[in-house]
Amino acid sequence: MPAATVLIVDDEEQVRSAIDGLVRSAGYRSALYASAVDLLAKPLPAGVRCLVTDVRLPLVSGLDLQRELAKRGERIPILFITGHGDIPMSVRAMKAGAIDFLPKPFRDQDILDAIAGALAEDMRLKELEEELTSLRIRFESLTPREREVLEFVSRGLLNKQIAAELGLSEITVKIHRGSAMRKMEARTVVHLIRMMEALERGALQVQTPV
Amino acid sequence: MPAATVLIVDDEEQVRSAIDGLVRSAGYRSALYASAVDLLAKPLPAGVRCLVTDVRLPLVSGLDLQRELAKRGERIPILFITGHGDIPMSVRAMKAGAIDFLPKPFRDQDILDAIAGALAEDMRLKELEEELTSLRIRFESLTPREREVLEFVSRGLLNKQIAAELGLSEITVKIHRGSAMRKMEARTVVHLIRMMEALERGALQVQTPV
DNA sequence: TATACTCTCGTACGATAGGATAGGTCGCTT
DNA sequence: AAGCGACCTATCCTATCGTACGAGAGTATA
């Protein structure tokens, strides 16, 4: 497993290299960006990661960056730092899901603690996402009919009822249900229900951009 | 349904009455407290409600109050206002689940919007809580054995397996299972699973005090 | 054209679920 | 002592589930 990566966005070279040194000394890898645009230009590094950014940046602010990443579906824990921030700014960032918001000057340990927390959070969510992705892949492999049948199954309908609902014979429903269970690798109905709930919840748990 | 109540905590009489007037003009009921201790001394008003408090209070601060309410299991949306707050303070409050954090001076509309949001949130959570309470009451009405059996059922075990697990005959398991389903008012296994999941999740979704 | 996939339906069989009915033990309360 | 609730077990019966085996029809693709 590669080391965790800390993405650092700041328009001041001094700040970047200072945090860079701090982060490297803590054993993390780092990726430096002079602006939000730079960061958005290319795909983010893979693996466990978090983002440290100044709120006040030229052109595209840290908050704009947060919103843009959310819009792109890039889930990444964000840690804001700022020299001239105010309370409404911090509240807005936190509401949008920021991990922390540190006003300068801060102690080295403060930001390292926050980074450690952010990375731990990212790892936790990554595990959940992997689970969910695995589920989604399996769900995608279902035929439309199989998906339809599963929807009814997860609502607690009997095969007979599903058959009536879809205008099919009960046997056909059983067939679809059986092959769907195999494709989803669900041993029992209970297992299946949990999967379906995870799929539904996962789709809704997207971070709301503010 | 009685009107929503806004609890107002501030040590300055002027501030209290100002917000009180604002809140009343918006059609809400209000409850005024000169200190956090005052509020904690008696049970909170029932119904839909939210709390507006200054962060900086003598003896027990707004953040202390937030923590104390969480510790007591009193879930209530909190809206902080402050004249001399700083960013770390606001971040801490938001991390602990505050709805908003408004620095003075603020426009009347700002706080009214925040209050409306807080009350809407409280109403939403109250509905979920009612559902959960209803579930809990039914679950409490189960005998220990019935609860045990349901635990296994919700893990996807067959009656036969549950019987082996508990050292019972399969028939006995069926009996317990049946009466448990009746008491829980679950028509199908799927319905039951959803209930059990809600119970487990509900117990874990407590707001983490910071 | 041939192959593959999907959807459909049937019969048959074994396993499971769930209820009705009937019986018994144990411990606590009235 | 009697009653009650929790707990345990059994047999009988029915509905449902799950699968195996068999088979036809439509559609897309190589």
Side-chain angles (χ1 to χ4, degrees):
Chain A
M1 187 159 71
T5 308
V6 179
L7 287 65
I8 301 163
V9 181
D10 203 299
D11 56 328
E12 290 180 57
E13 201 282 332
Q14 273 199 336
V15 176
R16 279 202 303 277
S17 62
I19 301 179
D20 180 48
L22 199 58
V23 159
R24 287 180 176 280
S25 75
Y28 305 124
R29 300 173 61 176
S30 62
L32 306 184
Y33 307 89
S35 74
V37 176
D38 277 8
L39 182 141
L40 290 168
K42 36 198 170 186
L44 304 186
V48 174
R49 63 202 183 179
C50 74
L51 170 60
V52 176
T53 179
D54 198 323
V55 262
R56 200 172 293 273
L57 293 169
L59 288 175
V60 180
S61 79
L63 293 178
D64 292 335
L65 176 57
Q66 181 182 31
R67 199 167 26 238
E68 179 61 24
L69 287 171
K71 193 166 35 164
R72 293 194 187 180
E74 282 281 12
R75 186 204 50 68
I76 179 172
I78 301 181
L79 168 55
F80 287 101
I81 56 179
T82 180
H84 310 282
D86 55 22
I87 290 182
M89 206 178 270
S90 71
V91 169
R92 195 169 142 208
M94 296 305 290
K95 276 188 185 174
I99 288 283
D100 218 324
F101 196 103
L102 293 181
K104 288 188 241 181
F106 42 77
R107 289 175 306 156
D108 288 355
Q109 198 53 49
D110 284 344
I111 193 171
L112 284 178
D113 286 349
I115 287 174
L119 290 173
E121 173 74 359
D122 192 50
M123 196 179 306
R124 195 181 68 81
L125 289 181
K126 272 219 163 24
E127 284 172 17
L128 290 182
E129 279 174 349
E130 275 178 32
E131 265 294 307
L132 205 57
T133 300
S134 157
L135 273 186
R136 286 225 186 86
I137 290 174
R138 277 177 279 170
F139 192 72
E140 295 303 325
S141 80
L142 299 178
T143 69
R145 243 340 183 205
E146 285 163 353
R147 267 194 281 274
E148 243 176 332
V149 170
L150 281 201
E151 301 285 357
F152 284 111
V153 169
S154 76
R155 281 190 225 160
L157 294 189
L158 301 178
N159 288 339
K160 188 182 294 185
Q161 296 171 314
I162 300 173
E165 208 70 40
L166 294 176
L168 299 177
S169 100
E170 189 182 340
I171 294 90
T172 307
V173 173
K174 283 189 187 182
I175 302 291
H176 289 312
R177 183 172 178 162
S179 72
M181 291 287 281
R182 260 189 302 281
K183 288 184 185 175
M184 292 298 286
E185 296 171 31
R187 285 170 292 285
T188 66
V189 189
V190 173
H191 193 184
L192 179 77
I193 300 305
R194 298 203 187 281
M195 288 179 179
M196 298 293 282
E197 287 221 324
L199 281 171
E200 288 167 24
R201 270 211 316 277
L204 299 174
Q205 262 181 351
V206 188
Q207 189 65 259
T208 40
V210 174
Chain B
M1 189 158 71
T5 309
V6 179
L7 287 65
I8 300 162
V9 180
D10 203 301
D11 56 328
E12 290 179 58
E13 202 282 331
Q14 272 198 338
V15 177
R16 278 203 303 279
S17 62
I19 301 178
D20 180 48
L22 200 57
V23 159
R24 286 180 177 280
S25 75
Y28 304 124
R29 300 173 58 178
S30 63
L32 307 183
Y33 307 89
S35 75
V37 176
D38 275 9
L39 181 140
L40 290 168
K42 37 199 170 186
L44 304 187
V48 174
R49 63 202 182 177
C50 74
L51 171 60
V52 177
T53 179
D54 199 322
V55 262
R56 202 173 290 274
L57 294 169
L59 287 176
V60 180
S61 78
L63 294 178
D64 293 334
L65 175 58
Q66 182 182 32
R67 200 167 26 236
E68 178 61 24
L69 287 171
K71 194 166 37 166
R72 292 193 187 181
E74 281 283 13
R75 187 204 51 68
I76 177 172
I78 301 180
L79 169 54
F80 287 100
I81 56 179
T82 180
H84 311 282
D86 55 21
I87 290 181
M89 206 177 268
S90 72
V91 169
R92 198 169 140 206
M94 295 306 288
K95 277 188 186 175
I99 287 284
D100 218 324
F101 195 104
L102 293 181
K104 289 186 239 181
F106 43 77
R107 289 174 306 158
D108 288 356
Q109 198 53 47
D110 284 344
I111 194 171
L112 284 179
D113 286 349
I115 287 175
L119 290 173
E121 173 74 359
D122 192 50
M123 197 178 303
R124 196 181 68 83
L125 289 182
K126 270 217 163 26
E127 284 172 15
L128 290 182
E129 278 174 349
E130 274 177 31
E131 265 295 306
L132 205 57
T133 300
S134 157
L135 273 186
R136 287 226 185 85
I137 289 174
R138 277 177 278 170
F139 192 72
E140 296 301 326
S141 79
L142 299 178
T143 70
R145 242 341 182 207
E146 286 162 353
R147 267 195 281 273
E148 243 175 332
V149 170
L150 281 201
E151 301 286 358
F152 284 110
V153 169
S154 77
R155 281 190 227 160
L157 294 189
L158 301 178
N159 288 341
K160 190 182 294 186
Q161 297 171 313
I162 300 172
E165 208 70 42
L166 294 175
L168 298 176
S169 99
E170 191 182 337
I171 295 90
T172 307
V173 173
K174 284 190 188 178
I175 301 295
H176 288 313
R177 183 173 179 160
S179 73
M181 292 285 283
R182 262 187 302 279
K183 287 184 186 175
M184 292 297 287
E185 296 170 32
R187 286 170 291 286
T188 66
V189 188
V190 174
H191 193 184
L192 179 77
I193 301 304
R194 298 204 187 279
M195 288 180 179
M196 298 293 280
E197 286 222 325
L199 281 172
E200 289 167 24
R201 269 211 317 278
L204 299 175
Q205 263 182 348
V206 188
Q207 187 65 256
T208 40
V210 176

